[in-house]
Amino acid sequence: MHYQLYYWTGIQGRGEFVRLALEDAGADYADVARDHGDEVLQPFLDGAEAGARPFAPPFLKAGRLVIAQVANILHFLGPQLGLVPEAESRRLEALQLQLTIADLVTEIHDSHHPIASAAYYEDQKAAARQRAADLRRNRLPKFLGHFEQVLAQAGGLHALRSHSYVDLSLFQIVRGLDYAYPKAMDALAPKIPHLRALEARIAERPNIAAYLASERRLAFNTQGIFRHYPELDGGIED
Amino acid sequence: MHYQLYYWTGIQGRGEFVRLALEDAGADYADVARDHGDEVLQPFLDGAEAGARPFAPPFLKAGRLVIAQVANILHFLGPQLGLVPEAESRRLEALQLQLTIADLVTEIHDSHHPIASAAYYEDQKAAARQRAADLRRNRLPKFLGHFEQVLAQAGGLHALRSHSYVDLSLFQIVRGLDYAYPKAMDALAPKIPHLRALEARIAERPNIAAYLASERRLAFNTQGIFRHYPELDGGIED
């Protein structure tokens, strides 16, 4: 099947979780806005295209289906790309983990935009300092600690005992946090050995290594979900 | 099948979206923490119970399965309770809408807790005023406008052209916002006629009417997701 991914150009953003799955599987896909500009997104958001109406990018077009929300897209793609175990109970487990990853992604975004997502960072810096401190001290240890325990309980190598889209998303979480919060991630490193090792293994998968070395992989920057503002980074202790 | 719902006592919270589905379908379920206390939750969160490890309540036990994350639970329950269309593409559409509802729920929560979910409201009141203003002026019109358009495009009566768990969750969103942000909801009313009519129809469904009149339906309060703080409410215009 040919897939069309729709996501804002210029950032990795939430689209990257889908992109990593498509790349890892060697799927036949087009990154439509990168080829034709962000204006291709609007007709879908306006309800002028057939299929389910997305609230926001990313969304995926697969035949006549339009599918939005990262966890939903990956739930759909998983079986087609061989990126989730086949049993229904295991698909639910993958979706559960992906939804917890989505919650963390929102918290990471809100650490630099705690007041208004449409306002400038510079206009909410004071609140961002406070929220980022809470992210570093409380939320990252809690979320990453959870994923670490999930990995440990599943044998250490995979969130679901075999390779899945969840592992690819956890890779992206670790890479993104390494960029945005390097000091906090240094401080957390001793507590998340399985997550760190997973990140290293994913980076060495041939399709992922090729993707990361390609121009298709944008650099992290201060327009996306993961933003490096030195004033927001720091340790994890009170 | 007998279901066991696990959620904090004392609040409707995120558990209520699951509860409404179980009640509407007349399902055989136990609300375990209400019967036995909040301490029944911890062994699951600690990974001491079999099944997928939840990051947070609510979670549902169904036979040997443990399923967490509201949208995941409803995705699982939908076919069993007859609360989602059967076609796979329609199940994905339901999940997509439920995930957008989940995003809105997080934004509603964060309007009173923009800095730290574990800190007191009173210690983040100034930031909450700013975030709540953005919620009223920008985010509620955007989210509720989206759901209104989805309803209109589907014929006006249901988000998915037939009754589903999504309709039940939209009911809860409208009820919760009516409690928390009555002035903003008054101002928005002319823009969301289909949503308001849906809320009224859901309230009249026999099982829902009976549930709302029962002691099982807790009152909204200032411990849950939807909190009424008069200082956060107001109009939707700049």
Side-chain angles (χ1 to χ4, degrees), chain A residues 87-121:
Chain A
E88 188 61 23
S89 63
R90 305 292 280 160
R91 283 189 74 194
L92 292 169
E93 199 172 339
L95 180 54
Q96 173 175 322
L97 283 162
Q98 195 65 38
L99 290 171
T100 304
I101 290 170
D103 287 344
L104 173 56
V105 167
T106 295
E107 296 205 18
I108 292 165
H109 170 273
D110 284 10
S111 70
H112 49 76
H113 275 73
I115 301 298
S117 54
Y120 290 113
Y121 164 64

Side-chain angles (χ1 to χ4, degrees), chain A residues 193-213:
Chain A
H194 291 104
L195 264 179
R196 293 244 65 114
L198 173 65
E199 179 243 330
R201 280 194 310 277
I202 295 291
E204 288 174 3
R205 290 176 66 84
N207 285 354
I208 294 294
Y211 169 62
L212 295 176

